[in-house]
């Protein structure tokens, strides 16, 4: 009622639509321990191409702003070898991860990290002591290029 008295009809409509828009935003936001995140829908997940790959080479990356390695990952015949900048230096040494299988997002656009072009995102979780790589179960045979599903 107060809006009707203070504002002409065309302005009242703007307030109403802004109010509806804000309500819609509230339904699409999830509260997490680190703040609010926009709610993803299943179609968003389906856009990601997450594959298994084997780390075939690892090199120090001193030019990176944050400590990282240059990592080359073989994602099998269909995708081939892709490179990534991985901030995993807290828990891993290059010789420890060479030959290990990891999961990576292979359909993000390439990203320039200093003089290095990162082509995939190697997946990990933020643990208390650093990033922990997400890997397939070690006792089960998984081929490079197999898709997460």
């Amino acid at each position: 009622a107060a809006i009707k008295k203070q504002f002409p009809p065309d302005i009242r409509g703007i307030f109403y639509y802004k109010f509806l828009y804000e309500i819609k935003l509230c339904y699409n936001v999830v509260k997490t321990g680190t703040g609010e995140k926009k709610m993803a829908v299943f179609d968003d997940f389906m856009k990601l191409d997450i594959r298994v790959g084997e780390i075939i080479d690892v090199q120090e990356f001193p030019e990176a702003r944050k400590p990282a390695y240059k990592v080359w990952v073989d994602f099998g015949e269909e995708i081939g070898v892709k490179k990534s900048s991985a901030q995993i230096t807290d828990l891993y040494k290059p010789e420890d991860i060479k030959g290990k299988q990891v999961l990576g997002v292979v359909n993000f656009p390439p990203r320039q990290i200093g003089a290095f072009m990162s082509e995939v995102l190697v997946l990990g979780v933020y643990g208390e002591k650093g990033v922990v790589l997400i890997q397939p179960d070690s006792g089960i045979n998984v081929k490079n290029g197999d898709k997460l599903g």
Side-chain angles (χ1 to χ4, degrees):
I3 289 179
K4 281 186 177 182
K5 291 178 184 174
Q6 292 178 348
F7 300 101
D10 56 333
I11 300 294
R12 284 195 303 254
I14 291 171
F15 283 121
Y16 176 72
Y17 287 111
K18 184 176 185 308
F19 174 74
L20 289 179
Y21 178 72
E22 287 174 0
I23 286 178
K24 183 179 178 201
L25 287 179
C26 289
Y27 280 111
N28 290 329
V29 171
V30 175
K31 291 187 181 190
T32 67
T34 58
E36 293 183 349
K37 300 278 184 184
K38 190 168 192 285
M39 182 69 109
V41 294
F42 190 72
D43 287 343
D44 294 332
F45 175 73
M46 293 304 295
K47 291 176 189 174
L48 298 176
D49 189 359
I50 301 173
R51 304 285 182 117
V52 174
E54 180 183 345
I55 296 175
I56 59 171
D57 193 19
V58 184
Q59 296 176 9
E60 300 284 339
F61 192 7
E63 307 88 30
R65 280 186 279 176
K66 295 181 181 177
Y69 295 132
K70 295 176 184 177
V71 180
W72 283 260
V73 184
D74 181 1
F75 287 101
E77 205 171 288
E78 181 185 346
I79 296 168
V81 175
K82 299 289 183 182
K83 49 191 180 168
S84 180
S85 171
Q87 296 174 0
I88 55 174
T89 59
D90 291 332
L91 297 176
Y92 300 99
K93 293 184 172 89
E95 59 271 13
D96 296 336
I97 58 173
K98 198 169 179 180
K100 292 211 181 268
Q101 285 187 317
V102 293
L103 291 175
V105 179
V106 298
N107 65 333
F108 280 151
R111 185 171 180 179
Q112 191 76 41
I113 312 289
F116 187 73
M117 185 64 74
S118 186
E119 301 172 306
V120 296
L121 176 66
V122 175
L123 297 177
V125 295
Y126 292 103
E128 289 180 12
K129 296 183 179 183
V131 176
V132 178
L133 291 170
I134 297 176
Q135 301 175 347
D137 216 349
S138 61
I140 300 172
N141 186 22
V142 180
K143 294 187 312 191
N144 291 342
D146 282 355
K147 189 171 183 173
L148 177 76

